[in-house]
Amino acid sequence: MTHEKLIIIGSGPAGLTAALYAARADLNPRVFEGTAAGGQLMITTDVENYPGFPDGIMGPELMDQFRKQAERFNARLQQVDVTEVDFTSTPFRISVGADDYTADAVVVATGASATWLGVPGEQTLTGKGVSACATCDGFFFRNQELVVVGGGDTAMEEALFLTKFASKVTIVHRRDEFRASRIMAARALADEKVDVIWNSIVTEIHGENAVEAVTLEDTETGETTRFKTDGVFVAIGHKPNTDVFVDELELDDNGYIEVTEPGTTRTSVDGVFAAGDVADHIYRQAVTAAGTGCMAAIDAERWLGAR
């Protein structure tokens, strides 16, 4: 069984920033990146809102630079998935398949995954007009007509944000009333740029190199229609990647890791820290994830130094 001072689980902006800071602090961190290394930016094309890149940068290229910078200071990165953890005693135990590791401290930065529709065309057109983040991609759709799929507060927020750029935003919702809070629903319905198609679901997204239209199915009659649009924003929720931490860390009602001390990255287990989208259901941006990755590494360094 291999023992480490610090193990970092995850390799998006949070995990790799934590790796960079921990490596520069001589903690010699081992990083379990996951087989889908790099996080959600690996399926993002143009990133224009990350500081330091005035001309923008491709998501995979940005994550490659994160990775190289962490490795420059000798962070040890492995593209493997953590399959089990035991935080009930120290040192903590982390299993990667048949291999077991122990660690004095752990940073969890496994991120969150957007909930997708799972319809034809969605995957091939992701980054080409299909998105799950209006804040990230809305700027690219100036004076275009867009579809937002969903009926909760997130969908209302996405739709209202997109009205800053789009000429028209159509919310497609499977029911005849929103499940969003009354105030958010009222704001969306009152906006002159927002239209709503009730009792409908998106069953297919059409386009070659860019979104051109969606197929809508009426949930009451089953009738289908083709609806022209320049982009589709899926706003039906995010799922934090915390399955392996159930019963090990305190999670909120939606499965996000609870940070127990405001202004820190401390979790319910002393010596385990959480960074990035796995503990953030509000901002979900690369720059905020990187910031909390820095915080987690510093918190872990100080915690280890105090022992």
Side-chain angles (χ1 to χ4, degrees):
M1 189 177 291
T2 304
H3 182 74
E4 306 288 351
K5 273 186 182 179
L6 175 65
I7 285 178
I8 298 169
I9 307 173
S11 60
L16 292 180
T17 301
L20 169 63
Y21 272 78
R24 293 185 75 251
D26 290 329
L27 294 180
N28 196 26
R30 184 184 292 273
V31 183
F32 295 130
E33 297 184 274
T35 50
Q40 293 190 75
L41 283 182
M42 296 301 289
I43 58 171
T44 303
T45 50
D46 294 316
V47 178
E48 293 195 337
N49 57 1
Y50 198 88
F53 298 93
D55 298 320
I57 186 171
M58 300 293 281
E61 183 184 355
L62 178 60
M63 293 319 302
D64 184 56
Q65 294 197 27
F66 268 66
R67 198 173 194 274
K68 287 176 178 176
Q69 192 170 6
E71 289 182 315
R72 175 189 167 197
F73 295 98
N74 300 316
R76 293 164 296 149
L77 280 57
Q78 296 175 244
Q79 289 194 17
V80 293
D81 289 319
V82 169
T83 53
E84 188 179 353
V85 300
D86 183 357
F87 295 156
T88 58
S89 61
T90 54
F92 305 120
R93 183 176 62 81
I94 294 93
S95 298
V96 179
D99 299 324
D100 286 336
Y101 298 80
T102 56
D104 294 322
V106 175
V107 170
V108 177
T110 48
S113 302
T115 303
W116 296 99
L117 301 172
V119 300
E122 181 180 52
Q123 185 173 355
T124 56
L125 290 168
T126 296
K128 301 176 182 178
V130 174
S131 173
C133 180
T135 308
C136 309
D137 299 326
F139 178 82
F140 301 112
F141 293 90
R142 286 190 178 277
N143 301 315
Q144 298 187 46
E145 296 187 2
L146 304 175
V147 161
V148 172
V149 184
D153 279 351
T154 298
M156 304 302 109
E157 290 168 3
E158 298 274 280
L160 288 167
F161 180 83
L162 290 170
T163 60
K164 298 178 181 180
F165 309 102
S167 58
K168 181 182 178 182
V169 177
T170 301
I171 301 173
V172 176
H173 185 45
R174 64 187 306 128
R175 299 182 179 88
D176 59 1
E177 63 179 356
F178 292 133
R179 53 185 170 80
S181 60
R182 186 171 299 178
I183 187 170
M184 288 302 299
R187 286 176 185 171
L189 292 169
D191 195 295
E192 61 181 12
K193 283 189 175 183
V194 174
D195 195 8
V196 182
I197 298 178
W198 303 102
N199 299 314
S200 295
I201 58 174
V202 173
T203 59
E204 187 171 357
I205 302 173
H206 305 278
E208 292 296 328
N209 296 314
V211 170
E212 298 173 2
V214 295
T215 295
L216 300 180
E217 179 182 313
D218 189 300
T219 57
E220 295 183 333
T221 66
E223 180 183 354
T224 61
T225 57
R226 188 179 175 102
F227 185 82
K228 185 181 179 301
T229 185
D230 300 304
V232 178
F233 284 80
V234 180
I236 57 175
H238 283 74
K239 182 182 184 301
N241 302 320
T242 52
D243 288 350
V244 74
F245 306 110
V246 173
D247 299 326
E248 298 293 334
L249 295 173
E250 186 175 331
L251 309 178
D252 70 12
D253 292 340
N254 294 311
Y256 289 86
I257 296 175
E258 292 271 22
V259 173
T260 57
E261 187 177 334
T264 76
T265 59
R266 295 178 181 272
T267 71
S268 56
V269 174
D270 196 30
V272 178
F273 307 88
D277 290 9
V278 76
D280 172 22
H281 65 279
I282 298 173
Y283 300 105
R284 296 198 301 262
Q285 300 297 304
V287 68
T288 52
T292 55
C294 162
M295 292 167 60
I298 293 173
D299 285 346
E301 177 192 5
R302 291 174 176 172
W303 184 85
L304 287 165
R307 295 188 68 197

